[in-house]
Amino acid sequence: MRDVAIIGVGMTKFGKFLNKGLKDLGREALWLTLKDAGIKPQQLQFAYAANGLAGLITGQEGIRGQVILRDAGLGGIPIVNVENACASASTAFREAYMMIAGGFYDIGLAIGVEKLYCEDVSKSVRALAADSDIEISARFGLQFTAFYALALRKFMAQRALTKHHLAKVVVKNSYNGSLNPLAQYRRALTEEEVLSSRLIADPLTLYMCAPMGDGAAAAILCSADLALKLTDKPLVKVAASAMRSGQFHPPQEEHPSVVTLAAKEAYEKAGVGPEDINVTEVHDAMAPAELMIYEELGYGKGEEVGRMIEEGVTAISGKKPVNPSGGLASKGHPVGATGLAMISEIVWQLRGEAGARQVKNPRIGLIENAGGMVEGEPAACCVTILKK
Amino acid sequence: MAAEKKQILVGEGLFHMPSSPQEKPYLIGSKCKNCGFTSFPRKIICPACVSENTMEEVALSRIGKIDTFTVAYVALPGYPSPYLQAYVDLPEGPRILSFITGCEPKADSLKIGMNVEMVIDTLYKDEAGNDVLGFKFKPLA
């Protein structure tokens, strides 16, 4: 296995862009990333292209990557389409990483493109519900907001957490989002605003939930040796890429979650522990889920997770900053682009290029990106650790 | 004249539909004759011991306990809103995702640990306006 570096990242602004298609978003992200890497498109040897829901929303099936990338000037090279619900982009990144680590290619692209907004909102809502087992949960009306709410009510009851703890996560992340020029929402919210916004799935209110979103993000990876020749920027290497799928466990028994298992594997591969991580992006499609992920990543346990948010431990200026980008509820969540947007953020943070939301001198960053739902837990989870 | 609206069952083999008022509905699960694990819905491969063809069909208890719940205000197209959704634990082991009916869709209608009973009810209306029937649970008085 060879060391792999990320020499370029990029993302479009996330938001509602009814006048932009998949090609527009993909082209913009690709060329931003090429410029960041300082290379020409002809230097790319392969591409993994992630998308979650275009088949259901726009009808474009099968060859989304080839359609988007051909229009953006890329052809000839192997292009592989990747679909893994909200974890699609991290999955594409992981495949690209393995291709280079394994020595099959020297330099390649991972890109994620998504358009959730369309003229018919019910179409988008139905498409999102299809990221669960449609014979069981989707048929019984399960909505992802309700799925998070079911888990959160229990989590809160067991750890003496209140709705104020949930709201404080949104206060922190919306402030971070206000510092991020690429975020979908850029207004810092107060606890009162969060709690008085309308209920979506009790205890979740509107401002706690990720919106629909359009956007694209990408990364260019290459062997560490080649990276030294291609770029003068601080070198960001992939320390670990772990991926797990949900698995069987008796429903009533305590068990490590798919996130916990992926994190454990990533820590082992990188030779680090949770205490070594300086900056983190987590998959908080409903912002308060961040509290559950603190525990799953080993950052805190039980009632401590409540104290972490109360005392600002996970703020940009805290000891353990989480979601400096604004997280999914503020930055936006175009599902097939999300993982690479998180990876972009951590690369910018490690290079010291994150502007007003820069965490102080981080050396090791972690990205947790989960997707879909099967039998009550995420279907897929990728945990990536990057180091400077 | 409008086409006659029909009642359609949500899926094959998920629950027993009573054919007379004397009969009660129940969920159809399967139990592994190798390790004793009980699943809902029915499985061919036991998810616990991963054996093939050891799962035998069983009628599941009609009464379970609420593991967790939510009042949701955003519904899929065709579904009523607001609505109560819960995980219900059955004594045989399965944890069932279900709507809760028979009470106001409010958070104080339910409590974690409360007993609920399985019933047949309309889940949603399909695009042709047919009632799609499935199972729900309702609080026991």
Side-chain angles (χ1 to χ4, degrees), chain B residues 25-138:
Chain B
Y26 57 84
L27 295 177
I28 300 168
S30 57
K31 182 172 180 173
C32 179
K33 57 187 179 193
N34 182 41
C35 74
F37 178 78
T38 303
S39 76
F40 174 82
R42 287 181 301 180
K43 303 258 189 196
I44 303 298
I45 308 294
C46 175
C49 70
V50 202
S51 306
E52 189 185 13
N53 295 321
T54 56
M55 299 301 278
E56 296 177 321
E57 187 171 307
V58 288
L60 296 173
S61 297
R62 305 186 53 255
I63 292 171
K65 278 185 196 306
I66 290 189
D67 168 59
T68 179
F69 67 94
T70 181
V71 195
Y73 297 82
V74 178
L76 292 179
Y79 288 78
S81 166
Y83 60 98
L84 288 164
Q85 193 142 38
Y87 279 121
V88 174
D89 280 347
L90 298 184
E92 294 88 350
R95 178 165 288 168
I96 315 287
L97 174 73
S98 177
F99 289 118
I100 303 293
T101 186
C103 58
E104 287 288 304
K106 292 192 303 203
D108 56 12
S109 297
L110 300 180
K111 279 198 172 62
I112 288 176
M114 184 185 238
N115 283 327
V116 288
E117 178 183 21
M118 183 242 175
V119 293
I120 302 290
D121 198 1
T122 300
L123 288 177
Y124 62 98
K125 282 192 186 299
D126 69 12
E127 279 164 8
N130 301 310
D131 283 335
V132 179
L133 295 185
F135 63 85
K136 293 185 183 176
F137 282 80
K138 67 166 192 191

Side-chain angles (χ1 to χ4, degrees), chain A residues 122-123 125-126 129 135-143 145-147 149-154 157 198-203 248-253 373 375-377, chain B residues 10-12 14 37 41 43 47-48 67-79 83 85-87 89-90 93-95 97 99 107 112 123-124 127 134-135:
Chain A
S122 68
K123 201 180 196 181
V125 172
R126 273 205 189 96
E135 289 183 16
I136 306 296
S137 38
R139 228 181 220 166
F140 288 87
L142 187 72
Q143 247 262 333
T145 49
F147 168 51
L150 288 167
L152 267 170
R153 179 180 299 274
K154 226 167 122 176
R198 70 186 166 92
L199 272 171
I200 298 296
D202 183 29
F248 169 79
H249 49 75
Q252 282 78 14
E253 285 175 22
M373 201 272 272
E375 298 195 1
E377 75 169 341
Chain B
V10 69
E12 289 281 311
L14 291 174
F37 178 78
K43 303 258 189 196
D67 168 59
T68 179
F69 67 94
T70 181
V71 195
Y73 297 82
V74 178
L76 292 179
Y79 288 78
Y83 60 98
Q85 193 142 38
Y87 279 121
D89 280 347
L90 298 184
R95 178 165 288 168
L97 174 73
F99 289 118
I112 288 176
L123 288 177
Y124 62 98
E127 279 164 8
F135 63 85

Side-chain angles (χ1 to χ4, degrees), chain A residues 75-120:
Chain A
I77 57 172
I79 295 173
V80 181
N81 292 282
V82 177
E83 192 173 302
N84 227 354
C86 303
S88 297
S90 284
T91 306
F93 177 87
R94 174 177 160 79
E95 295 294 323
Y97 160 69
M98 291 190 296
M99 277 293 169
I100 296 166
F104 290 94
Y105 296 98
D106 297 318
I107 182 166
L109 171 77
I111 186 166
V113 188
E114 197 76 64
K115 267 198 72 64
L116 293 183
Y117 280 109
C118 61
E119 303 296 344
D120 177 5

